[in-house]
Amino acid sequence: MTHLSTSDEGADHGEQTERRWAAVAVAILVLLVVMATFAALYHGAMPQSRVETADPRTLHLGGEFIESNLGSALEPDGTVTVRFIGQQYSFTPSCILVPTDTPVTFRVTSADVVHGFLIDGTNINLMLVPGYISSLGARFETPGERLMPCHEFCSVGHEGMWGRIKIIDKAAFSRMAAERRRLSCVE
Ligand code: CUA
């Protein structure tokens, strides 16, 4: 009889442990929901301080995203501004040229639907929304070439929508910029 009661106690103990762990799991879940709610409310209550728009129907006719203004521009203050457009199913220009050790600002928009722009192996990641200009600052330390896939599903050609970014030495970039107003690495 003694033996039987001991095994009963063992079963009770096991059940208790199980309940305790279940409680921990529920607590973690509740915490995550609270964090998600907080993040949603906090960001929802604080919209972007500056929203810039660009009419997708007239991008090619004039303004910042006219074709002759696309690519990388060396600014008088030594920084670089890169302007490009995403459209089904490519980026224009399809190869972005940037220098090392220089503050780079990307200014991007979409000519049709929502696209994504990310640079492989970096935390650079933007959503391109028609009607709006997405802007992001970056800096590249090492020369090289990286892929730039579209990461938002934008219909049947999505898988084939990608570009490249080529990071070259700052001095070489400056020399090229002295000869051409807008640079890219499209061949
Ligand atoms: Cu553009 Cu997916």
Side-chain angles (χ1 to χ4, degrees):
M1 284 317 242
T2 319
H3 174 75
L4 202 103
S5 85
T6 311
S7 92
D8 272 356
E9 271 168 28
D12 273 358
H13 185 70
E15 211 171 287
Q16 257 181 22
T17 312
E18 208 170 286
R19 263 198 220 120
R20 221 171 284 148
W21 280 111
V24 170
V26 169
I28 291 172
L29 210 65
V30 168
L31 180 69
L32 287 175
V33 168
V34 168
M35 281 163 65
T37 309
F38 173 78
L41 291 175
Y42 182 75
H43 292 298
M46 295 191 146
Q48 271 181 287
S49 55
R50 206 166 56 121
V51 174
E52 294 177 282
T53 58
D55 188 343
R57 289 163 304 178
T58 57
L59 287 180
H60 60 294
L61 297 178
E64 185 176 350
F65 292 95
I66 194 163
E67 197 166 358
S68 58
N69 200 39
L70 298 178
S72 308
L74 182 60
E75 305 291 353
D77 65 359
T79 66
V80 167
T81 307
V82 181
R83 294 182 183 87
F84 64 98
I85 294 176
Q87 68 264 303
Q88 287 166 324
Y89 298 98
S90 62
F91 294 103
T92 307
S94 59
C95 187
I96 305 288
L97 193 69
V98 292
T100 52
D101 299 318
T102 308
V104 173
T105 304
F106 291 99
R107 290 178 63 78
V108 203
T109 190
S110 166
D112 40 41
V113 300
V114 173
H115 297 281
F117 152 63
L118 76 77
I119 300 177
D120 210 26
T122 71
N123 62 355
I124 295 167
N125 185 328
L126 280 177
M127 219 159 93
L128 315 186
V129 183
Y132 296 90
I133 300 170
S134 300
S135 182
L136 183 79
R139 197 184 174 96
F140 300 89
E141 303 302 335
T142 44
E145 199 172 311
R146 291 176 182 278
L147 288 181
M148 214 176 77
C150 172
H151 66 83
E152 290 289 338
F153 182 74
C154 51
S155 194
V156 293
H158 166 71
E159 294 295 327
M161 180 171 173
W162 57 275
R164 286 179 302 143
I165 181 158
K166 209 168 166 181
I167 305 143
I168 64 166
D169 179 65
K170 189 178 181 167
F173 186 93
S174 297
R175 280 196 298 276
M176 290 171 79
E179 284 166 24
R180 285 183 64 184
R181 216 176 117 256
R182 298 290 178 264
L183 299 175
S184 80
C185 41
V186 176
E187 278 131 27

